[in-house]
Every structure is written in structure tokens, then in C-alpha cells.
Amino acid sequence: MTAVLQPGVLFGLCGAGLVGIGLFAVVTQTGLLRRIVGCNILGAGIFLVFGAVARRGAGAGFDADPVPQALVITGIVVAFSASALAVALLKRLSELTDGDRAEAAERESGS
């Protein structure tokens, strides 16, 4: 019974839960910002599962395998920058569509 409560197993289960929540958000939500947040939750779950797998596959005297941990850290940086780019593109898209709507409203009120 105590084998279930080990940190590696809990990290893996929490990561699997986050992957499920993120997939649900990406598939069901229509708003782009909500989909971006869903992708971030999905990525966090994958990183957590990968970290749990790295902890279980320890070798060479380390507490955990350092290669997957390095990949997770690199992935976190890449995911953060991709999220920042996605939010910037979403903001620009919102500005363009709001500008088009404002011009259309001006044309309708002016004519």
C-alpha cells in the first residue's frame, strides 16, 4: 500500500491528471486563450510524467537520471517562450479584428 504513495508514483499520477485536463481544455474550449492555457496545462503534465519516469530510471549513483531532467528544464523554457509568442499573436489578432470592427461601425454610422 505504501508503494502507491511514493513520490515518483504520485508525480506520475498528477502528471497524467494534468494531461487529461489539458487535453479536455484543448478539445472542448472554443476560445483561443483557453486553448493556449490548455496547452500549457498539457505540457506541464507531460513534464511531470517525464520527471517521474526520470526519477524511476536513476542510475550511475544519481538520485534521478540527469538527461530527462535536463530535457524537462529545456522543455519548460521552450514552452514558456512558445506561450509568450502565442499570447502576443493572440493580442495582435484581437487588435486587428477589433480595428476592423471599429472601421466597419464607423462606415455604417457615417453612411
Side-chain angles (χ1 to χ4, degrees):
M1 184 67 181
T2 58
V4 175
L5 299 178
Q6 290 180 352
V9 174
L10 285 176
F11 288 155
L13 290 174
C14 289
L18 286 176
V19 167
I21 293 170
L23 274 176
F24 178 77
V26 168
V27 171
T28 61
Q29 298 296 323
T30 57
L32 292 177
L33 184 60
R34 290 181 182 188
R35 285 186 173 189
I36 291 170
V37 171
C39 284
N40 284 333
I41 293 172
L42 176 69
I46 290 171
F47 293 148
L48 202 55
V49 168
F50 202 48
V53 169
R55 186 176 171 93
R56 295 182 61 105
F62 296 111
D63 288 337
D65 191 4
V67 174
Q69 289 182 346
L71 290 175
V72 167
I73 291 172
T74 305
I76 289 170
V77 172
V78 170
F80 178 76
S81 58
S83 296
L85 177 65
V87 170
L89 289 173
L90 183 63
K91 182 181 176 200
R92 181 67 178 147
L93 179 66
S94 176
E95 289 172 356
L96 288 175
T97 56
D98 287 343
D100 290 343
R101 288 182 190 155
E103 289 176 8
E106 286 179 11
R107 274 186 254 140
E108 288 180 9
S109 65
S111 61

Coordinates of all heavy atoms in Angstrom, one line a residue:
M1 N 0.8 -1.2 0.0 CA 0.0 0.0 0.0 C 0.9 1.3 0.0 O 0.5 2.2 -0.6 CB -0.9 0.0 1.2 CG -1.9 1.1 1.3 SD -3.1 1.0 -0.1 CE -4.0 2.4 0.2
T2 N 2.0 1.2 0.7 CA 2.9 2.4 0.7 C 3.6 2.6 -0.6 O 4.1 3.7 -0.9 CB 3.9 2.2 1.8 OG1 4.7 1.1 1.6 CG2 3.3 2.2 3.2
A3 N 3.6 1.6 -1.5 CA 4.3 1.8 -2.8 C 3.5 2.7 -3.6 O 4.1 3.4 -4.5 CB 4.4 0.4 -3.5
V4 N 2.2 2.9 -3.4 CA 1.4 3.8 -4.2 C 1.7 5.2 -3.8 O 1.6 6.1 -4.6 CB -0.1 3.5 -4.0 CG1 -1.0 4.5 -4.7 CG2 -0.4 2.1 -4.5
L5 N 2.1 5.4 -2.6 CA 2.3 6.8 -2.1 C 3.7 7.3 -2.2 O 4.0 8.3 -1.7 CB 1.9 6.9 -0.6 CG 0.4 6.5 -0.3 CD1 0.1 6.5 1.2 CD2 -0.5 7.5 -1.0
Q6 N 4.5 6.6 -3.0 CA 5.9 7.1 -3.2 C 5.8 8.3 -4.1 O 4.9 8.4 -5.0 CB 6.7 6.0 -3.8 CG 7.0 4.9 -2.9 CD 7.9 3.8 -3.5 OE1 8.1 3.8 -4.7 NE2 8.3 2.9 -2.7
P7 N 6.8 9.2 -4.0 CA 6.7 10.5 -4.7 C 6.7 10.3 -6.3 O 6.0 11.0 -7.0 CB 8.0 11.2 -4.3 CG 8.3 10.6 -3.0 CD 7.8 9.2 -3.0
G8 N 7.5 9.3 -6.7 CA 7.5 9.1 -8.2 C 6.2 8.7 -8.7 O 5.7 9.2 -9.8
V9 N 5.4 7.9 -8.0 CA 4.1 7.4 -8.4 C 3.1 8.6 -8.4 O 2.3 8.8 -9.3 CB 3.7 6.2 -7.6 CG1 2.2 5.8 -7.9 CG2 4.6 5.0 -7.8
L10 N 3.2 9.3 -7.3 CA 2.3 10.5 -7.2 C 2.5 11.5 -8.2 O 1.6 12.1 -8.8 CB 2.4 11.1 -5.8 CG 1.8 10.4 -4.6 CD1 2.1 11.0 -3.3 CD2 0.3 10.2 -4.8
F11 N 3.8 11.8 -8.6 CA 4.1 12.7 -9.6 C 3.6 12.2 -11.0 O 3.0 13.0 -11.7 CB 5.6 13.0 -9.8 CG 6.2 13.8 -8.7 CD1 7.6 13.6 -8.3 CD2 5.5 14.7 -8.0 CE1 8.1 14.4 -7.3 CE2 6.0 15.4 -6.9 CZ 7.4 15.3 -6.6
G12 N 3.7 10.9 -11.2 CA 3.2 10.4 -12.4 C 1.7 10.5 -12.5 O 1.1 10.8 -13.6
L13 N 1.0 10.2 -11.4 CA -0.5 10.3 -11.4 C -0.9 11.7 -11.6 O -1.9 12.0 -12.3 CB -1.0 9.6 -10.1 CG -0.9 8.1 -10.0 CD1 -1.4 7.7 -8.6 CD2 -1.7 7.4 -11.1
C14 N -0.3 12.6 -10.9 CA -0.6 14.0 -11.0 C -0.4 14.5 -12.5 O -1.2 15.3 -13.0 CB 0.1 14.9 -10.0 SG -0.4 14.7 -8.3
G15 N 0.7 14.1 -13.0 CA 1.0 14.4 -14.4 C 0.0 13.9 -15.4 O -0.4 14.6 -16.3
A16 N -0.4 12.6 -15.1 CA -1.5 12.0 -16.0 C -2.8 12.8 -15.9 O -3.5 13.0 -16.9 CB -1.7 10.6 -15.7
G17 N -3.1 13.2 -14.6 CA -4.3 14.1 -14.5 C -4.2 15.4 -15.2 O -5.2 15.8 -15.8
L18 N -3.0 16.0 -15.1 CA -2.9 17.3 -15.8 C -3.0 17.1 -17.3 O -3.5 18.0 -18.0 CB -1.5 17.9 -15.4 CG -1.4 18.5 -14.0 CD1 0.0 19.0 -13.8 CD2 -2.4 19.7 -13.9
V19 N -2.4 16.0 -17.8 CA -2.5 15.8 -19.3 C -4.0 15.6 -19.7 O -4.4 16.2 -20.7 CB -1.7 14.5 -19.6 CG1 -2.0 14.0 -21.1 CG2 -0.2 14.8 -19.5
G20 N -4.8 14.9 -18.8 CA -6.2 14.7 -19.1 C -6.9 16.1 -19.1 O -7.7 16.4 -20.0
I21 N -6.7 16.9 -18.1 CA -7.3 18.2 -18.0 C -6.9 19.1 -19.2 O -7.8 19.7 -19.8 CB -7.0 18.9 -16.7 CG1 -7.6 18.1 -15.5 CG2 -7.4 20.3 -16.6 CD1 -7.1 18.5 -14.1
G22 N -5.6 19.1 -19.5 CA -5.2 19.9 -20.7 C -5.8 19.4 -22.0 O -6.2 20.3 -22.8
L23 N -5.9 18.1 -22.2 CA -6.5 17.6 -23.4 C -8.0 18.0 -23.5 O -8.5 18.4 -24.5 CB -6.3 16.1 -23.5 CG -5.1 15.6 -24.1 CD1 -5.0 14.1 -24.0 CD2 -4.9 16.0 -25.6
F24 N -8.6 17.9 -22.4 CA -10.0 18.3 -22.3 C -10.2 19.8 -22.7 O -11.1 20.1 -23.5 CB -10.6 18.0 -20.9 CG -12.0 18.4 -20.8 CD1 -13.0 17.6 -21.3 CD2 -12.4 19.6 -20.1 CE1 -14.4 18.0 -21.2 CE2 -13.7 19.9 -20.0 CZ -14.7 19.1 -20.5
A25 N -9.3 20.6 -22.1 CA -9.4 22.0 -22.4 C -9.1 22.4 -23.9 O -9.8 23.2 -24.5 CB -8.5 22.8 -21.5
V26 N -8.2 21.7 -24.4 CA -7.8 22.0 -25.8 C -8.9 21.5 -26.8 O -9.2 22.2 -27.7 CB -6.5 21.3 -26.2 CG1 -6.2 21.3 -27.7 CG2 -5.3 21.9 -25.4
V27 N -9.5 20.4 -26.5 CA -10.5 19.8 -27.4 C -11.9 20.5 -27.2 O -12.5 20.8 -28.2 CB -10.7 18.3 -27.1 CG1 -11.8 17.7 -27.9 CG2 -9.4 17.6 -27.5
T28 N -12.3 20.9 -26.0 CA -13.6 21.4 -25.8 C -13.8 22.9 -25.9 O -14.9 23.4 -26.2 CB -14.2 20.9 -24.5 OG1 -13.4 21.3 -23.4 CG2 -14.3 19.4 -24.5
Q29 N -12.7 23.6 -25.6 CA -12.8 25.1 -25.5 C -12.8 25.7 -26.9 O -12.0 25.3 -27.7 CB -11.8 25.7 -24.6 CG -11.8 25.2 -23.2 CD -13.1 25.6 -22.5 OE1 -13.6 26.7 -22.7 NE2 -13.7 24.7 -21.7
T30 N -13.5 26.7 -27.1 CA -13.5 27.4 -28.4 C -12.6 28.7 -28.4 O -12.2 29.1 -29.4 CB -14.9 27.8 -28.8 OG1 -15.5 28.6 -27.8 CG2 -15.8 26.6 -29.0
G31 N -12.4 29.3 -27.2 CA -11.6 30.5 -27.1 C -10.1 30.1 -27.3 O -9.7 29.1 -26.8
L32 N -9.4 31.0 -28.0 CA -8.0 30.7 -28.3 C -7.2 30.8 -27.0 O -6.3 30.0 -26.8 CB -7.5 31.7 -29.3 CG -8.1 31.5 -30.7 CD1 -7.6 32.6 -31.7 CD2 -7.7 30.1 -31.3
L33 N -7.5 31.8 -26.2 CA -6.7 31.9 -24.9 C -6.9 30.7 -24.0 O -5.9 30.2 -23.4 CB -7.1 33.2 -24.2 CG -6.3 33.5 -22.9 CD1 -4.8 33.7 -23.3 CD2 -6.8 34.8 -22.3
R34 N -8.1 30.2 -24.0 CA -8.4 29.0 -23.2 C -7.6 27.8 -23.8 O -7.2 26.9 -23.0 CB -9.8 28.7 -23.1 CG -10.5 29.8 -22.2 CD -12.0 29.5 -22.1 NE -12.6 30.5 -21.3 CZ -13.9 30.5 -20.9 NH1 -14.6 29.5 -21.2 NH2 -14.4 31.4 -20.2
R35 N -7.5 27.7 -25.1 CA -6.8 26.6 -25.7 C -5.3 26.8 -25.4 O -4.6 25.8 -25.2 CB -7.0 26.6 -27.2 CG -8.3 26.1 -27.5 CD -8.5 25.9 -29.0 NE -9.7 25.2 -29.3 CZ -10.1 24.8 -30.5 NH1 -9.3 25.0 -31.5 NH2 -11.2 24.2 -30.7
I36 N -4.8 28.0 -25.4 CA -3.4 28.2 -25.0 C -3.1 27.7 -23.6 O -2.1 27.1 -23.3 CB -3.0 29.7 -25.2 CG1 -3.0 30.0 -26.7 CG2 -1.6 30.0 -24.6 CD1 -2.8 31.5 -27.0
V37 N -4.0 28.1 -22.7 CA -3.9 27.7 -21.3 C -4.0 26.1 -21.2 O -3.2 25.5 -20.4 CB -4.9 28.4 -20.4 CG1 -5.0 27.8 -19.0 CG2 -4.7 29.9 -20.3
G38 N -4.9 25.5 -22.0 CA -5.0 24.1 -22.0 C -3.7 23.4 -22.5 O -3.3 22.4 -22.0
C39 N -3.1 24.0 -23.5 CA -1.8 23.5 -24.0 C -0.7 23.6 -22.9 O 0.1 22.7 -22.8 CB -1.3 24.2 -25.2 SG -2.2 23.8 -26.7
N40 N -0.7 24.7 -22.1 CA 0.2 24.8 -21.0 C 0.0 23.8 -20.0 O 1.0 23.2 -19.4 CB 0.2 26.2 -20.5 CG 0.8 27.3 -21.4 OD1 1.7 26.9 -22.1 ND2 0.4 28.5 -21.3
I41 N -1.2 23.5 -19.6 CA -1.5 22.5 -18.6 C -1.1 21.1 -19.2 O -0.5 20.3 -18.4 CB -3.0 22.5 -18.3 CG1 -3.4 23.8 -17.5 CG2 -3.4 21.3 -17.4 CD1 -4.8 24.1 -17.3
L42 N -1.4 20.9 -20.4 CA -1.0 19.6 -21.0 C 0.5 19.4 -21.0 O 1.0 18.4 -20.6 CB -1.5 19.6 -22.5 CG -1.1 18.4 -23.3 CD1 -1.8 17.1 -22.8 CD2 -1.5 18.6 -24.8
G43 N 1.2 20.5 -21.3 CA 2.7 20.4 -21.3 C 3.2 20.2 -19.9 O 4.2 19.5 -19.7
A44 N 2.6 20.9 -18.9 CA 3.1 20.7 -17.5 C 2.9 19.3 -17.1 O 3.7 18.7 -16.4 CB 2.3 21.7 -16.6
G45 N 1.8 18.7 -17.5 CA 1.6 17.3 -17.2 C 2.6 16.3 -17.8 O 3.1 15.4 -17.2
I46 N 2.9 16.6 -19.0 CA 3.9 15.8 -19.7 C 5.3 15.9 -19.1 O 6.0 15.0 -18.9 CB 4.0 16.2 -21.2 CG1 2.7 15.7 -21.9 CG2 5.2 15.6 -21.9 CD1 2.6 16.2 -23.3
F47 N 5.6 17.2 -18.7 CA 6.9 17.4 -18.0 C 6.9 16.6 -16.6 O 7.9 16.1 -16.3 CB 7.1 18.9 -17.7 CG 7.4 19.7 -19.0 CD1 7.0 21.0 -19.1 CD2 8.0 19.1 -20.1 CE1 7.2 21.7 -20.2 CE2 8.2 19.8 -21.2 CZ 7.8 21.1 -21.3
L48 N 5.8 16.6 -15.9 CA 5.7 16.0 -14.6 C 5.8 14.4 -14.8 O 6.6 13.8 -14.1 CB 4.4 16.3 -14.0 CG 4.3 16.2 -12.5 CD1 5.4 16.9 -11.8 CD2 3.0 16.6 -11.9
V49 N 5.2 13.9 -15.8 CA 5.3 12.5 -16.1 C 6.7 12.1 -16.5 O 7.3 11.1 -16.0 CB 4.3 12.0 -17.2 CG1 4.6 10.6 -17.7 CG2 2.9 12.1 -16.7
F50 N 7.3 12.9 -17.3 CA 8.7 12.7 -17.8 C 9.7 12.8 -16.6 O 10.6 12.0 -16.5 CB 9.1 13.6 -18.9 CG 10.2 13.2 -19.7 CD1 10.2 11.9 -20.3 CD2 11.2 14.0 -20.0 CE1 11.2 11.5 -21.1 CE2 12.3 13.6 -20.8 CZ 12.3 12.4 -21.3
G51 N 9.4 13.7 -15.7 CA 10.3 13.8 -14.5 C 10.1 12.6 -13.6 O 11.1 12.1 -13.0
A52 N 8.9 12.1 -13.5 CA 8.6 10.9 -12.7 C 9.3 9.7 -13.3 O 9.9 8.9 -12.6 CB 7.2 10.6 -12.5
V53 N 9.3 9.6 -14.6 CA 10.0 8.5 -15.3 C 11.5 8.6 -15.1 O 12.2 7.6 -14.9 CB 9.6 8.4 -16.8 CG1 10.5 7.5 -17.5 CG2 8.1 8.1 -16.9
A54 N 12.0 9.8 -15.1 CA 13.4 10.0 -14.9 C 13.8 9.6 -13.5 O 14.9 9.1 -13.3 CB 13.8 11.5 -15.2
R55 N 13.0 9.9 -12.6 CA 13.3 9.6 -11.2 C 13.4 8.0 -11.0 O 14.2 7.5 -10.3 CB 12.3 10.2 -10.3 CG 12.6 10.0 -8.8 CD 11.5 10.7 -8.0 NE 11.7 10.4 -6.6 CZ 12.4 11.1 -5.7 NH1 13.0 12.2 -6.2 NH2 12.5 10.8 -4.5
R56 N 12.5 7.3 -11.7 CA 12.4 5.9 -11.6 C 13.6 5.2 -12.3 O 14.0 4.1 -12.0 CB 11.1 5.4 -12.1 CG 9.9 5.8 -11.2 CD 8.7 5.2 -11.8 NE 8.7 3.8 -11.7 CZ 8.1 3.0 -10.8 NH1 7.3 3.6 -9.9 NH2 8.2 1.7 -10.8
G57 N 14.1 5.9 -13.3 CA 15.2 5.3 -14.1 C 16.6 5.8 -13.7 O 17.5 5.9 -14.5
A58 N 16.8 6.0 -12.4 CA 18.0 6.6 -11.9 C 19.1 5.5 -12.1 O 18.9 4.3 -11.9 CB 17.9 7.0 -10.5
G59 N 20.3 6.0 -12.4 CA 21.5 5.1 -12.5 C 22.7 5.9 -12.2 O 22.7 7.1 -12.1
A60 N 23.8 5.3 -12.2 CA 25.2 5.9 -12.0 C 25.3 6.7 -10.8 O 26.0 7.7 -10.7 CB 25.5 6.8 -13.3
G61 N 24.6 6.3 -9.7 CA 24.8 7.0 -8.4 C 24.0 8.2 -8.2 O 24.1 8.9 -7.2
F62 N 23.2 8.7 -9.2 CA 22.4 9.9 -9.0 C 21.0 9.5 -8.4 O 20.6 8.4 -8.5 CB 22.2 10.6 -10.4 CG 23.5 11.1 -11.0 CD1 24.0 10.5 -12.1 CD2 24.1 12.2 -10.4 CE1 25.1 11.0 -12.7 CE2 25.3 12.6 -11.0 CZ 25.8 12.0 -12.2
D63 N 20.4 10.5 -7.9 CA 19.0 10.3 -7.4 C 18.1 10.1 -8.5 O 17.1 9.4 -8.4 CB 18.6 11.5 -6.6 CG 19.3 11.6 -5.2 OD1 19.8 10.5 -4.8 OD2 19.3 12.7 -4.6
A64 N 18.3 10.7 -9.7 CA 17.5 10.6 -10.8 C 18.4 10.7 -12.1 O 19.5 11.1 -12.0 CB 16.4 11.7 -10.9
D65 N 17.8 10.2 -13.2 CA 18.6 10.3 -14.4 C 18.7 11.8 -14.9 O 17.7 12.4 -15.1 CB 17.9 9.5 -15.5 CG 18.7 9.3 -16.7 OD1 19.8 9.7 -16.8 OD2 18.2 8.7 -17.7
P66 N 19.9 12.3 -15.0 CA 20.0 13.7 -15.3 C 19.6 14.1 -16.7 O 19.3 15.3 -17.0 CB 21.5 14.0 -15.1 CG 22.2 12.7 -15.2 CD 21.2 11.7 -14.8
V67 N 19.6 13.2 -17.7 CA 19.3 13.6 -19.1 C 17.8 13.9 -19.2 O 17.5 15.0 -19.8 CB 19.7 12.4 -20.0 CG1 19.3 12.7 -21.4 CG2 21.2 12.2 -20.0
P68 N 16.9 13.1 -18.7 CA 15.5 13.6 -18.8 C 15.2 14.9 -18.0 O 14.4 15.7 -18.5 CB 14.7 12.4 -18.3 CG 15.6 11.2 -18.4 CD 17.0 11.8 -18.3
Q69 N 15.9 15.0 -16.9 CA 15.7 16.3 -16.2 C 16.2 17.5 -17.0 O 15.5 18.5 -17.0 CB 16.4 16.2 -14.8 CG 15.8 15.2 -13.9 CD 16.5 15.2 -12.5 OE1 17.6 15.7 -12.4 NE2 15.8 14.6 -11.5
A70 N 17.3 17.3 -17.7 CA 17.8 18.4 -18.5 C 16.8 18.7 -19.6 O 16.6 19.9 -20.0 CB 19.2 18.1 -19.0
L71 N 16.2 17.6 -20.2 CA 15.3 17.8 -21.3 C 14.0 18.5 -20.8 O 13.4 19.3 -21.4 CB 14.9 16.5 -21.9 CG 16.0 15.8 -22.7 CD1 15.6 14.4 -23.2 CD2 16.4 16.7 -23.9
V72 N 13.6 18.2 -19.5 CA 12.4 18.8 -19.0 C 12.7 20.3 -18.7 O 11.8 21.2 -19.0 CB 12.0 18.1 -17.7 CG1 11.0 18.9 -16.9 CG2 11.4 16.7 -18.0
I73 N 13.8 20.6 -18.2 CA 14.2 22.0 -18.0 C 14.2 22.8 -19.3 O 13.7 23.9 -19.4 CB 15.5 22.2 -17.2 CG1 15.3 21.6 -15.8 CG2 16.0 23.6 -17.2 CD1 16.6 21.5 -15.0
T74 N 14.8 22.2 -20.3 CA 14.8 22.8 -21.6 C 13.4 23.0 -22.2 O 13.0 24.0 -22.8 CB 15.7 22.0 -22.6 OG1 17.0 21.9 -22.0 CG2 15.8 22.7 -24.0
G75 N 12.6 21.9 -22.0 CA 11.2 22.0 -22.5 C 10.4 23.1 -21.8 O 9.6 23.7 -22.4
I76 N 10.7 23.3 -20.5 CA 10.0 24.4 -19.8 C 10.3 25.7 -20.4 O 9.4 26.6 -20.6 CB 10.3 24.3 -18.3 CG1 9.6 23.1 -17.6 CG2 9.9 25.6 -17.5 CD1 10.1 22.8 -16.2
V77 N 11.6 25.9 -20.7 CA 12.0 27.2 -21.3 C 11.3 27.4 -22.6 O 10.8 28.5 -23.0 CB 13.5 27.3 -21.3 CG1 13.9 28.5 -22.1 CG2 14.1 27.3 -20.0
V78 N 11.3 26.3 -23.5 CA 10.8 26.4 -24.8 C 9.2 26.6 -24.7 O 8.7 27.4 -25.5 CB 11.1 25.2 -25.6 CG1 10.3 25.1 -26.9 CG2 12.6 25.1 -25.9
A79 N 8.6 25.9 -23.8 CA 7.1 26.1 -23.6 C 6.8 27.5 -23.2 O 5.8 28.1 -23.6 CB 6.6 25.1 -22.6
F80 N 7.6 28.1 -22.3 CA 7.3 29.4 -21.8 C 7.4 30.4 -23.0 O 6.6 31.3 -23.2 CB 8.3 29.8 -20.7 CG 8.1 31.2 -20.2 CD1 7.0 31.6 -19.4 CD2 9.0 32.2 -20.6 CE1 6.8 32.9 -19.0 CE2 8.8 33.5 -20.2 CZ 7.7 33.9 -19.4
S81 N 8.5 30.3 -23.8 CA 8.7 31.2 -24.9 C 7.6 31.0 -26.0 O 7.1 31.9 -26.6 CB 10.0 31.1 -25.5 OG 10.3 29.8 -25.9
A82 N 7.2 29.7 -26.2 CA 6.1 29.5 -27.2 C 4.8 30.1 -26.6 O 4.0 30.6 -27.4 CB 6.0 28.0 -27.4
S83 N 4.5 30.0 -25.3 CA 3.3 30.6 -24.8 C 3.3 32.1 -24.9 O 2.3 32.7 -25.2 CB 3.2 30.2 -23.3 OG 3.0 28.8 -23.2
A84 N 4.5 32.7 -24.7 CA 4.6 34.1 -24.8 C 4.3 34.6 -26.3 O 3.6 35.5 -26.5 CB 6.0 34.6 -24.4
L85 N 4.9 33.8 -27.2 CA 4.6 34.1 -28.6 C 3.1 33.9 -29.0 O 2.6 34.7 -29.7 CB 5.5 33.2 -29.5 CG 5.3 33.3 -31.0 CD1 5.7 34.7 -31.5 CD2 6.0 32.2 -31.8
A86 N 2.5 32.9 -28.5 CA 1.1 32.6 -28.8 C 0.2 33.7 -28.2 O -0.7 34.2 -28.9 CB 0.7 31.3 -28.2
V87 N 0.5 34.2 -27.0 CA -0.3 35.2 -26.4 C 0.0 36.6 -27.2 O -1.0 37.3 -27.4 CB 0.1 35.4 -24.9 CG1 -0.5 36.7 -24.3 CG2 -0.4 34.2 -24.1
A88 N 1.2 36.8 -27.6 CA 1.4 38.0 -28.4 C 0.7 38.0 -29.7 O 0.1 39.0 -30.2 CB 2.9 38.2 -28.6
L89 N 0.7 36.8 -30.4 CA -0.1 36.7 -31.6 C -1.6 36.8 -31.4 O -2.3 37.4 -32.2 CB 0.2 35.3 -32.3 CG 1.6 35.2 -32.9 CD1 1.9 33.8 -33.4 CD2 1.8 36.2 -34.0
L90 N -2.0 36.3 -30.3 CA -3.5 36.4 -30.0 C -3.8 37.9 -29.7 O -4.9 38.3 -30.2 CB -3.8 35.5 -28.8 CG -5.3 35.5 -28.3 CD1 -6.1 34.9 -29.4 CD2 -5.4 34.7 -27.1
K91 N -3.0 38.6 -29.0 CA -3.2 40.0 -28.8 C -3.2 40.8 -30.1 O -4.1 41.6 -30.3 CB -2.1 40.6 -27.8 CG -2.3 42.0 -27.5 CD -1.2 42.5 -26.6 CE -1.5 44.0 -26.3 NZ -0.3 44.7 -25.9
R92 N -2.3 40.5 -30.9 CA -2.3 41.2 -32.2 C -3.5 40.9 -33.1 O -4.1 41.8 -33.7 CB -1.0 40.8 -33.0 CG -0.8 41.5 -34.3 CD -0.6 42.9 -34.2 NE -0.4 43.5 -35.5 CZ -0.8 44.7 -35.9 NH1 -1.3 45.5 -34.9 NH2 -0.6 45.2 -37.1
L93 N -3.9 39.6 -33.1 CA -5.1 39.2 -33.8 C -6.4 40.0 -33.2 O -7.2 40.4 -34.0 CB -5.3 37.7 -33.7 CG -6.6 37.1 -34.4 CD1 -6.5 37.3 -35.9 CD2 -6.7 35.7 -34.0
S94 N -6.4 40.1 -31.9 CA -7.5 40.8 -31.3 C -7.5 42.2 -31.6 O -8.6 42.8 -31.9 CB -7.4 40.6 -29.7 OG -8.4 41.4 -29.1
E95 N -6.3 42.9 -31.7 CA -6.3 44.3 -32.1 C -6.7 44.5 -33.5 O -7.4 45.4 -33.9 CB -4.8 44.8 -31.9 CG -4.4 45.0 -30.5 CD -2.9 45.3 -30.4 OE1 -2.2 45.3 -31.4 OE2 -2.5 45.5 -29.2
L96 N -6.3 43.6 -34.4 CA -6.7 43.7 -35.8 C -8.2 43.5 -36.0 O -8.8 44.2 -36.8 CB -5.9 42.7 -36.7 CG -4.4 42.9 -36.9 CD1 -3.8 41.8 -37.6 CD2 -4.2 44.2 -37.6
T97 N -8.7 42.5 -35.4 CA -10.2 42.3 -35.5 C -11.0 43.3 -34.9 O -12.1 43.7 -35.4 CB -10.6 40.9 -35.0 OG1 -10.2 40.8 -33.6 CG2 -10.0 39.8 -35.8
D98 N -10.6 43.9 -33.7 CA -11.3 45.0 -33.1 C -11.2 46.2 -34.0 O -12.1 47.0 -34.1 CB -10.7 45.3 -31.7 CG -11.1 44.2 -30.7 OD1 -12.1 43.5 -31.0 OD2 -10.5 44.1 -29.7
G99 N -10.0 46.5 -34.6 CA -9.9 47.6 -35.5 C -10.8 47.5 -36.7 O -11.4 48.5 -37.2
D100 N -10.9 46.3 -37.3 CA -11.8 46.1 -38.4 C -13.2 46.3 -38.0 O -14.0 46.9 -38.8 CB -11.6 44.7 -39.0 CG -10.3 44.5 -39.7 OD1 -9.6 45.5 -40.0 OD2 -9.9 43.3 -39.9
R101 N -13.6 45.9 -36.8 CA -14.9 46.1 -36.4 C -15.2 47.6 -36.1 O -16.3 48.0 -36.5 CB -15.2 45.3 -35.1 CG -15.3 43.8 -35.3 CD -15.5 43.1 -34.0 NE -15.4 41.7 -34.2 CZ -15.1 40.9 -33.2 NH1 -14.9 41.3 -32.0 NH2 -15.0 39.6 -33.4
A102 N -14.2 48.3 -35.6 CA -14.4 49.7 -35.4 C -14.6 50.5 -36.7 O -15.4 51.4 -36.8 CB -13.2 50.3 -34.6
E103 N -13.8 50.1 -37.7 CA -13.9 50.7 -39.0 C -15.2 50.4 -39.7 O -15.8 51.3 -40.3 CB -12.7 50.3 -39.9 CG -11.4 50.8 -39.5 CD -10.3 50.3 -40.4 OE1 -10.6 49.6 -41.4 OE2 -9.1 50.5 -40.1
A104 N -15.7 49.2 -39.5 CA -17.0 48.8 -40.1 C -18.1 49.6 -39.4 O -19.1 50.1 -40.0 CB -17.2 47.3 -40.0
A105 N -18.0 49.8 -38.1 CA -19.0 50.5 -37.3 C -19.0 52.0 -37.7 O -20.0 52.6 -37.9 CB -18.8 50.4 -35.8
E106 N -17.8 52.6 -38.0 CA -17.7 54.0 -38.4 C -18.3 54.1 -39.8 O -19.0 55.1 -40.1 CB -16.2 54.4 -38.4 CG -15.7 54.7 -37.1 CD -14.2 55.1 -37.1 OE1 -13.7 55.4 -38.2 OE2 -13.6 55.1 -36.1
R107 N -18.0 53.2 -40.7 CA -18.6 53.2 -42.1 C -20.1 53.2 -42.0 O -20.8 53.9 -42.7 CB -18.1 52.1 -42.9 CG -16.7 52.5 -43.6 CD -16.3 51.4 -44.6 NE -15.2 50.8 -43.9 CZ -14.9 49.5 -43.9 NH1 -15.7 48.7 -44.6 NH2 -13.9 49.0 -43.3
E108 N -20.6 52.3 -41.2 CA -22.1 52.1 -41.1 C -22.7 53.4 -40.5 O -23.8 53.8 -40.9 CB -22.4 50.9 -40.2 CG -22.2 49.6 -40.9 CD -22.5 48.4 -40.1 OE1 -23.1 48.6 -39.0 OE2 -22.2 47.3 -40.5
S109 N -22.1 54.0 -39.5 CA -22.7 55.2 -38.8 C -22.5 56.4 -39.7 O -23.3 57.3 -39.7 CB -22.1 55.4 -37.5 OG -20.7 55.7 -37.6
G110 N -21.4 56.4 -40.5 CA -21.2 57.6 -41.4 C -22.0 57.6 -42.7 O -22.4 58.6 -43.2
S111 N -22.4 56.4 -43.1 CA -23.2 56.4 -44.4 C -24.7 56.4 -44.2 O -25.3 56.6 -43.2 CB -22.9 55.1 -45.2 OG -23.1 54.0 -44.4

